[in-house]
Amino acid sequence: MSADKMEATATAEVDEKLYSRQLYVMGHEAQRRMMASNALVIGVSGLGVEIAKNCILAGIHSVTLCDPNPVNSFDLGGNFYLNESQIGTSSRASLCAPKLAELNPYVSVKVADNLSSMSDMDALLALVDGMTAVVVTIPLPKETIIQINNKCRQQGACFIYSLTMSVFSMAFCDFGDNFVVSDKDGEAAAVSQIETILPENPAVVKVLEDQGRHGLETGDKVTFARLRGDVDGFLEDNKEYSVRVTGPYTFELIDVDLSQMEGTNSQTQGYITQVKQPVTMHFEPYDKKLQEPGEFMLSDFAKFDRPTVLHLGFQAIAEYMAKNDGELPSPGDTAAINQVMDIAKSLDTEKVLADNKAAERILTHLASGSKAVLSPMCATLGGMIGQEVLKACSAKFTPIQGFFYFDAD
């Protein structure tokens, strides 16, 4: 969220009874920002309906559903609003919208009914206008994803691309070049009691160890309160000072010189309080991050090498779709699975698959189950991505930066 969008524009009062639990976490200011935000959900299969549900329950201003595709049998594995009698009858968005709208009377749930096909790029890109966050939850051609991502960057909207394929899933977040996070962790400001302040250049502060670590990071700012002793007159109460952390119980006051301080070398009374600062994050667009993913956010430290395998696998699936009219491999289709493997090997510049039978097994399972929509995976990733949408809308908590992979294999 850019700095000029940090101010809440919602004028409606927060319903404290309805949102009582999340207000303890989000706070009124973040809730009002959410109440002024609009989200576009592209794709309303199992994952899309979970994300839409979570955003509606959280109380953002509006959710627009975009999915002209008719219901298919795979949707029934994860979309709790669809049933067998609806297969092939109508679009997923139009069937789910009335039931989603019942979840929260304060949220406007709309259907993008002016879009007849996902290939209508002009109509699809026009939906991005006025949105705070855009979430794509179904496989689309790489060129389409790149165009939507670029339009989001032009409009200042946060872009999220997320997929589930059987027990495998991925997410990508691009919140723009300068996304301002008002509170990176939601924790209360750290408070510590001072043990001593050393008269050095720069000044060194040590807190009482029996009260725990100070919890600060280099670049944080602190204020002092109830100072007594020899530094009284050299340091001011309630003035902000930048810190450089030197240990769990010590830190330096940047540009504060107390080396000329007269008197004894200690200060035994006073408190420091962290002053939480907004953090500006820089994100890279999808096309650039696809080629240079950088460091992956881990979901399981026992699978530290899994993200690189899945990153390659999802790229191979996308290339397979491009060569087969947008179709995913059918379950048990050996020829299709072999084609995905061949594509993956051709893309494997980092030699991820070289003499790696375990990686080949993962890609085989990914290709074979790419059409599968599993309710537990949709619920899990839907909760995660729902949180990313709320981070985009509220500017609170640190979002995923780049790619994230999760699997239940």
Side-chain angles (χ1 to χ4, degrees):
M1 181 173 288
S2 59
D4 60 338
K5 292 185 179 180
M6 288 287 289
E7 296 298 325
T9 58
T11 57
E13 289 296 321
V14 177
D15 188 334
E16 295 186 353
K17 290 184 179 179
L18 180 62
Y19 302 122
S20 58
R21 287 185 293 177
Q22 71 186 45
L23 283 173
Y24 285 107
V25 177
M26 304 299 294
H28 281 74
E29 182 181 1
Q31 182 66 38
R32 287 194 175 93
R33 289 194 192 122
M34 286 161 44
M35 292 166 61
S37 300
N38 306 302
L40 171 64
V41 179
I42 300 175
V44 194
S45 186
L47 178 59
V49 77
E50 286 280 359
I51 296 170
K53 175 204 70 176
N54 292 330
C55 294
I56 291 167
L57 290 174
I60 69 175
H61 180 259
S62 73
V63 173
T64 301
L65 306 176
C66 172
D67 193 344
N69 297 322
V71 179
N72 61 60
S73 59
F74 291 101
D75 297 325
L76 306 185
N79 191 319
F80 39 77
Y81 285 143
L82 302 178
N83 58 61
E84 192 172 355
S85 66
Q86 296 170 327
I87 293 177
T89 60
S90 187
S91 73
R92 294 180 291 208
S94 61
L95 289 171
C96 294
K99 295 180 179 179
L100 286 169
E102 296 174 358
L103 297 175
N104 192 335
Y106 294 105
V107 179
S108 172
V109 179
K110 310 170 187 176
V111 176
D113 49 15
N114 61 329
L115 186 75
S116 59
S117 170
M118 286 295 185
S119 60
D120 187 352
M121 283 306 304
D122 291 337
L124 188 58
L125 294 178
L127 295 173
V128 176
D129 296 335
M131 294 297 167
T132 309
V134 175
V135 191
V136 180
T137 69
I138 54 175
L140 293 177
K142 183 171 69 173
E143 294 74 18
T144 301
I145 295 297
I146 292 172
Q147 288 189 58
I148 297 173
N149 185 193
N150 291 339
K151 180 64 180 291
C152 288
R153 292 178 73 86
Q154 294 170 8
Q155 297 295 317
C158 297
F159 173 77
I160 302 171
Y161 181 36
S162 184
L163 299 173
T164 62
M165 294 183 176
S166 65
V167 296
F168 304 97
S169 63
M170 60 81 67
F172 170 80
C173 294
D174 174 15
F175 288 8
D177 289 326
N178 298 289
F179 182 76
V180 180
V181 181
S182 63
D183 186 348
K184 64 181 180 180
D185 56 18
E187 299 290 338
V191 179
S192 297
Q193 186 174 353
I194 298 169
E195 178 181 313
T196 184
I197 299 178
L198 301 179
E200 300 178 359
N201 182 19
V204 177
V205 180
K206 187 176 188 301
V207 302
L208 289 175
E209 294 187 14
D210 59 359
Q211 293 189 2
R213 300 170 179 242
H214 52 59
L216 301 175
E217 298 179 3
T218 296
D220 283 350
K221 293 188 177 182
V222 298
T223 59
F224 291 90
R226 298 162 65 182
L227 283 170
R228 296 292 184 274
D230 300 303
V231 297
D232 192 13
F234 292 88
L235 296 175
E236 301 178 29
D237 283 0
N238 301 318
K239 179 181 177 180
E240 294 184 6
Y241 295 89
S242 298
V243 307
R244 181 186 299 112
V245 172
T246 56
Y249 305 102
T250 59
F251 59 86
E252 297 176 344
L253 299 178
I254 299 175
D255 297 329
V256 176
D257 182 5
L258 295 184
S259 60
Q260 302 302 317
M261 189 179 73
E262 297 179 359
T264 61
N265 293 336
S266 66
Q267 161 62 36
T268 57
Q269 294 185 32
Y271 296 85
I272 60 105
T273 302
Q274 177 190 25
V275 180
K276 307 201 77 170
Q277 301 291 316
V279 177
T280 301
M281 298 182 64
H282 173 75
F283 291 77
E284 299 288 352
Y286 179 76
D287 54 347
K288 181 176 181 180
K289 207 68 173 173
L290 196 64
Q291 302 303 319
E292 301 174 5
E295 185 175 352
F296 294 103
M297 177 181 176
L298 290 176
S299 61
D300 187 341
F301 288 99
K303 302 176 180 177
F304 65 91
D305 58 343
R306 185 64 56 83
T308 55
V309 176
L310 292 178
H311 187 69
L312 176 63
F314 275 95
Q315 287 187 75
I317 293 290
E319 289 294 327
Y320 174 90
M321 291 178 61
K323 295 178 179 180
N324 291 273
D325 299 322
E327 289 294 322
L328 290 167
S330 296
D333 187 341
T334 304
I337 294 171
N338 290 335
Q339 186 178 351
V340 171
M341 289 298 299
D342 291 340
I343 294 172
K345 290 175 181 178
S346 69
L347 297 173
D348 186 17
T349 58
E350 301 295 326
K351 304 302 179 183
V352 174
L353 300 177
D355 299 322
N356 192 339
K357 296 297 183 183
E360 291 185 9
R361 180 186 66 83
I362 292 297
L363 293 191
T364 299
H365 289 178
L366 172 62
S368 180
S370 58
K371 283 188 176 181
V373 180
L374 303 182
S375 180
M377 289 297 295
C378 293
T380 300
L381 199 68
M384 295 179 185
I385 303 305
Q387 288 292 332
E388 297 307 304
V389 176
L390 299 187
K391 291 174 187 178
C393 295
S394 67
K396 190 166 185 178
F397 302 110
T398 304
I400 295 171
Q401 200 165 16
F403 282 97
F404 169 77
Y405 292 94
F406 172 80
D407 72 275
D409 178 79

